[in-house]
């Protein structure tokens, strides 16, 4: 048996292919051939080794060429690469005459904002001070256009807190629905934090100011004072007065449905965290001067 294994034979074997050095910024969309049948000349010991542990051949994609039908590697190119990786004493007799075609797609990058889904569930009389803080506020995507062109914003998983009464800091995963097989994210986890305080409420009666009124007209609104519900820290609410606000009604654009003048709070003090108009529109009459 040892004598027979020492002799030289020609035999067909299958080599597993490993594609290396993918062109930068390109994605291999379809799976190319994963193995290649070739005919080699080797002694019995070498052939037995290939049977027990199939040879892996690296196909260097830096030698890929582009033609009318796309990217390809010619038989001569991969023959040369195979020969360079065979052990000493093994001869390559025959390789398939088939060209290996490769389907590359150019990768695309874009930056999109991150959002936390839904509203925050605060305990009664508690609210967020300022804005929700996200780190990072944006993520970078790298993938084929078919996967990332439709993504304009990504959401995290919901914030797992209810009845919020104090400051919080959580690390949330980006929602799995944005995951695609060939798309990479610069960040998988988003740090989400916020400052929470207990608020009080106060109603400030603010005069209505009519704007865009012709010089020849005088207008009277009903009512002429509207309450503004303010939420904030109690120490800040105590010092509020009507002059801190500007409540306007635009005479040039009344409501098309009711004919009333819509109200807009054009100015509010910085110490107020949230406001709500107790009336959203007013009736009016005009007369000429």
């Amino acid at each position: 048996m040892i004598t027979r294994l020492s002799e030289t034979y020609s035999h067909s074997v299958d080599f597993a292919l490993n594609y290396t050095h993918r062109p930068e910024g390109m994605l291999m969309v379809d799976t190319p051939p994963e193995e290649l049948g070739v005919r080699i000349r080797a002694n019995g010991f070498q052939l037995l080794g290939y049977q027990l542990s199939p040879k892996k051949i690296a196909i260097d994609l830096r030698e890929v060429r582009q033609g009318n039908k796309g990217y390809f590697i010619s038989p001569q190119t991969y023959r040369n690469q195979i020969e360079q990786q065979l052990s000493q004493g093994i001869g390559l007799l025959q390789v398939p005459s088939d060209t290996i075609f490769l389907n590359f797609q150019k990768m695309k990058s874009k930056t999109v904002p991150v959002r936390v889904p839904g509203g925050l569930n605060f305990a009664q009389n508690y609210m967020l001070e300022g804005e929700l803080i996200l780190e990072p506020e944006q993520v970078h995507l790298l993938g084929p256009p078919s996967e990332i062109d439709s993504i304009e914003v990504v959401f995290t998983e919901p914030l797992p807190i209810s009845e919020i009464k104090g400051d919080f800091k959580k690390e949330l995963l980006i929602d799995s629905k944005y995951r695609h097989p060939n798309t990479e994210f610069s960040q998988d986890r988003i740090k989400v934090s916020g400052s929470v305080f207990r608020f009080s409420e106060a109603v400030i009666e603010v005069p209505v100011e009519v704007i865009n009124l012709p010089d020849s007209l005088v207008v009277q609104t009903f009512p002429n004072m509207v309450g503004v519900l303010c939420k904030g820290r109690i120490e800040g609410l105590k010092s509020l007065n009507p002059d801190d606000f500007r409540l306007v009604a635009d005479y040039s654009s009344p409501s098309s449905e009711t004919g009333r003048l819509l109200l807009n709070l054009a100015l509010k003090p910085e110490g107020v965290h949230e406001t709500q108009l107790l009336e959203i529109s007013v009736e009016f009459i005009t007369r000429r001067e």
Side-chain angles (χ1 to χ4, degrees):
M1 181 181 293
I2 294 176
T3 301
R4 299 178 78 177
L5 289 175
S6 300
E7 295 177 358
T8 300
Y9 303 90
S10 63
H11 193 72
S12 295
V13 295
D14 291 329
F15 287 155
L17 302 182
N18 178 31
Y19 297 88
T20 63
H21 301 107
R22 185 186 69 189
E24 186 175 354
M26 303 292 283
L27 172 70
M28 195 184 303
V29 179
D30 299 324
T31 303
E34 296 180 344
E35 62 179 25
L36 189 69
V38 301
R39 193 166 187 82
I40 62 174
R41 182 181 63 250
N43 62 45
F45 288 105
Q46 293 167 322
L47 291 174
L48 181 59
Y50 283 164
Q51 294 295 328
L52 297 176
S53 179
K55 174 73 172 175
K56 292 184 179 180
I57 295 292
I59 300 298
D60 193 339
L61 295 179
R62 288 176 295 187
E63 296 190 43
V64 70
R65 298 171 61 187
Q66 187 174 11
N68 295 332
K69 296 183 179 180
Y71 296 91
F72 68 92
I73 297 178
S74 67
Q76 185 58 50
T77 298
Y78 63 74
R79 180 189 179 100
N80 294 339
Q81 293 190 20
I82 293 172
E83 286 183 326
Q84 295 171 9
Q85 298 174 64
L86 293 179
S87 303
Q88 187 175 3
I90 299 178
L92 182 60
L93 301 178
Q94 185 180 6
V95 298
S97 59
D98 297 333
T99 298
I100 297 178
F101 288 98
L102 303 161
N103 185 5
F104 283 115
Q105 187 172 359
K106 191 172 181 61
M107 300 282 272
K108 180 180 180 180
S109 64
K110 67 187 301 187
T111 301
V112 297
V114 180
R115 298 285 184 268
V116 177
L120 301 181
N121 184 5
F122 292 100
Q124 187 174 2
N125 292 341
Y126 286 87
M127 67 185 301
L128 187 67
E129 183 168 21
E131 300 291 334
L132 196 64
I133 299 173
L134 279 68
E135 300 178 36
E137 297 179 342
Q138 299 176 320
V139 291
H140 305 290
L141 281 62
L142 178 65
S146 59
E147 291 185 0
I148 70 172
D149 275 353
S150 62
I151 301 177
E152 299 300 331
V153 60
V154 294
F155 285 86
T156 67
E157 60 187 355
L159 192 67
I161 313 176
S162 60
E163 294 292 308
I164 302 172
K165 291 184 178 181
D167 298 350
F168 59 88
K169 188 171 186 178
K170 293 289 182 181
E171 192 172 70
L172 304 178
L173 288 170
I174 291 177
D175 195 308
S176 60
K177 70 180 180 181
Y178 300 101
R179 295 294 178 189
H180 296 288
N182 303 303
T183 296
E184 298 176 2
F185 282 72
S186 61
Q187 196 85 8
D188 291 325
R189 298 176 179 270
I190 307 298
K191 294 179 180 179
V192 180
S193 60
S195 297
V196 177
F197 71 97
R198 186 181 180 90
F199 69 84
S200 296
E201 295 181 340
V203 175
I204 308 298
E205 295 291 331
V206 180
V208 177
E209 175 188 349
V210 180
I211 60 174
N212 295 322
L213 183 69
D215 294 336
S216 60
L217 295 180
V218 175
V219 67
Q220 176 68 45
T221 64
F222 300 95
N224 63 352
M225 303 276 287
V226 171
V228 179
L229 177 64
C230 303
K231 296 181 180 180
R233 296 183 183 276
I234 188 169
E235 57 270 19
L237 297 179
K238 287 180 178 180
S239 62
L240 292 179
N241 64 74
D243 293 336
D244 297 327
F245 302 84
R246 186 182 180 213
L247 183 60
V248 299
D250 191 346
Y251 181 80
S252 65
S253 55
S255 169
S256 60
E257 295 181 358
T258 65
R260 295 164 63 97
L261 297 182
L262 298 176
L263 296 175
N264 175 46
L265 189 61
L267 176 67
K268 68 176 183 178
E270 292 184 0
V272 175
H273 290 270
E274 189 176 311
T275 58
Q276 179 183 342
L277 296 178
L278 300 186
E279 299 277 352
I280 62 172
S281 65
V282 292
E283 294 183 343
F284 66 99
I285 59 172
T286 60
R287 61 179 176 84
R288 294 191 177 275
E289 289 186 325

